[in-house]
Amino acid sequence: MFVSLASANAETAKGSSNFMRRTIARTVTGVAIVAGLVAACGSEGENGAAGSSGTNGTASSAAGAPSSGAPASSGAGTGDGGQAGGEAAQKVTAAIQQALQQSPITFTTESAELSEKSKTALGEIAKAMQGNDVKIAVATHAGYPDAEKSKALSEKRAEAITAALEGAGVAKDRVKTEATGNEKAQGDKALDTQITVAQ
């Protein structure tokens, strides 16, 4: 009787131990899924901006960012509270979308010179940035196989865009540039520029 009771206790302890392992495994899996979702939501704007390309891709990259970018930019207002900042961010986002749809900011091969159409598009974006504190993010690329050469050219392209925006009345510290070289785009895709409201 004693042996069978001890055996039953051992089985119960073993079952309890297995139950605890399964519970811990489920909890860890749940936490991993939640962390993955949070990371995906947090990086959606970046990936949307940097990952798309082409004439339509450039416009859609700006269009993809607002849904996640506008609410996050609500603190960019001028002191009237988050709502005012959110409205300003939405206004700038809409201007970016419209400008890039009409004239994507692209460069010719081996050049950091902006076309007149690109300058006009940047002028429209600059107009939307007047009277608010919204900041924008500009991602430029260059597709040389040589990483150092690509980085240098994409930096020149970023400087050209910043200078054009400055000339249109946007303070330099409101333009956050990311010169990626050949890290995120190669070939023809590297001629495109993405512009979004900064997070």
Side-chain angles (χ1 to χ4, degrees), residues 44-45 48-49 52 57-70 93 97 196 199:
E44 183 180 335
S52 87
T58 306
S60 66
S61 71
S67 58
S68 61
T93 295
Q97 287 177 9
T196 57
Q199 300 296 315

Side-chain angles (χ1 to χ4, degrees), residues 70-71 73-78 80-95 128 131-132 134 197:
S73 304
S74 61
T78 56
D80 296 331
Q83 187 174 0
E87 288 172 7
Q90 288 173 4
K91 176 186 168 189
V92 173
T93 295
N132 59 58
V134 175
V197 168

Side-chain angles (χ1 to χ4, degrees), residues 13-184:
K14 184 177 176 185
S16 176
S17 175
N18 286 339
F19 174 76
M20 287 298 291
R21 283 192 191 115
R22 285 194 302 271
T23 302
I24 290 169
R26 285 188 192 125
T27 304
V28 169
T29 303
V31 169
I33 289 169
V34 170
L37 289 171
V38 169
C41 290
S43 64
E44 183 180 335
E46 291 173 16
N47 293 339
S52 87
S53 61
T55 300
N56 294 332
T58 306
S60 66
S61 71
S67 58
S68 61
S73 304
S74 61
T78 56
D80 296 331
Q83 187 174 0
E87 288 172 7
Q90 288 173 4
K91 176 186 168 189
V92 173
T93 295
I96 291 171
Q97 287 177 9
Q98 187 172 1
L100 294 183
Q101 282 171 359
Q102 290 175 357
S103 179
I105 311 299
T106 60
F107 293 90
T108 56
T109 306
E110 298 185 20
S111 171
E113 190 173 331
L114 288 164
S115 68
E116 287 306 313
K117 282 187 175 181
S118 292
K119 288 177 185 176
T120 301
L122 290 169
E124 291 302 313
I125 294 169
K127 278 182 196 173
M129 294 176 72
Q130 302 303 320
N132 59 58
D133 291 335
V134 175
K135 296 182 180 183
I136 60 171
V138 176
T140 55
H141 320 282
Y144 293 115
D146 182 327
E148 197 173 313
K149 193 174 179 182
S150 289
K151 186 74 171 173
L153 181 56
S154 63
E155 283 172 357
K156 286 181 183 176
R157 289 174 173 175
E159 287 167 13
I161 291 169
T162 303
L165 288 166
E166 267 192 289
V170 177
K172 191 173 185 175
D173 63 358
R174 294 179 63 196
V175 182
K176 177 186 172 187
T177 59
E178 183 188 8
T180 68
N182 62 7
E183 295 170 14
K184 295 185 178 180

